Amino acid sequence: MKQGGQHPIAAGVTALVAVAVGVGLIIGIGMFVGANIMGLGGDATDDQATDPDAGASLYAPSPKPTKTANGPAITLDASPTSSPEKNAASTSPSPSRTVEEKPAKEITLQAGIVVATPMERIDLTGIYPGGEGAILRLERNDGQGWGEFGIPDVRVTGEQFSTPIQSGRVGRHKFRMKDIDTGAYSNVVTVTIG
């Protein structure tokens, strides 16, 4: 071995370290350039200076007031009836009345189907303007007079109501809803079972 020279192993290690550092720098620069080309990384403040929405992942529009509905969500075309006693008492209007009265609350009933097989589901729905929170009872007339149908009472919510029913009794059935507090009746719907 020479006195003032480097040892061949040390020179090899130094050269190997220099090559590794050089290759690492080249790979690092390549990854940096590739990431910028693909849009990965980078400084978001530079983009936001020119485009305020750059980097935003959620857009929420400015709130605006909405219009609220004043009436029921559905309108049914039917001619509801009230109790027979009220109809008989109000056959002629009173000409001496000077104050306008509010129109009576009318319960409108509708059947989802009008012909059903025994024990088939029948959806009864309707509206009751001004009847929010009222409790309605379903009544049936199968040719033997009106009577309770025997299902739980139905509550009016959002001026609407609905209940599914089933019957195994064959024949023509008339249904109506009764407000248990005021005694007001809905129109009559007919369903034929058989």
Side-chain angles (χ1 to χ4, degrees):
M1 189 159 103
K2 293 185 183 174
Q3 197 95 28
Q6 262 188 334
H7 191 273
I9 294 179
V13 169
T14 303
L16 187 60
V17 168
V19 169
V21 168
V23 169
L25 281 173
I26 292 171
I27 292 175
I29 290 171
M31 289 178 67
F32 177 75
V33 170
N36 282 333
I37 289 173
M38 292 174 35
L40 302 173
D43 189 6
T45 57
D46 293 339
D47 293 339
Q48 289 179 350
T50 57
D51 184 8
D53 291 332
S57 63
L58 176 66
Y59 171 74
S62 301
K64 294 180 182 172
T66 58
K67 295 179 183 177
T68 57
N70 293 333
I74 61 170
T75 304
L76 303 174
D77 188 0
S79 57
T81 59
S82 59
S83 67
E85 298 80 26
K86 290 183 182 180
N87 281 342
S90 62
T91 54
S92 61
S94 172
S96 63
R97 191 175 293 155
T98 56
V99 178
E100 280 190 39
E101 290 183 8
K102 287 186 174 181
K105 300 176 190 175
E106 296 178 341
I107 307 169
T108 303
L109 179 64
Q110 179 178 345
I113 56 175
V114 294
V115 177
T117 58
M119 299 308 291
E120 181 177 358
R121 178 184 168 130
I122 303 166
D123 291 313
L124 298 177
T125 60
I127 59 171
Y128 192 5
E132 184 66 28
I135 305 296
L136 304 178
R137 183 163 294 148
L138 181 63
E139 294 184 346
R140 169 174 60 184
N141 184 341
D142 58 0
Q144 300 176 4
W146 289 102
E148 292 182 18
F149 184 69
I151 63 168
D153 292 338
V154 179
R155 180 176 294 277
V156 176
T157 305
E159 297 186 340
Q160 301 176 15
F161 60 91
S162 68
T163 186
I165 63 167
Q166 293 176 309
S167 178
R169 197 179 296 176
V170 176
R172 280 183 59 140
H173 301 270
K174 295 180 180 180
F175 295 98
R176 68 182 181 187
M177 296 298 263
K178 176 184 178 182
D179 184 330
I180 62 172
D181 292 327
T182 66
Y185 290 94
S186 73
N187 58 299
V188 175
V189 295
T190 302
V191 178
T192 302
I193 300 175

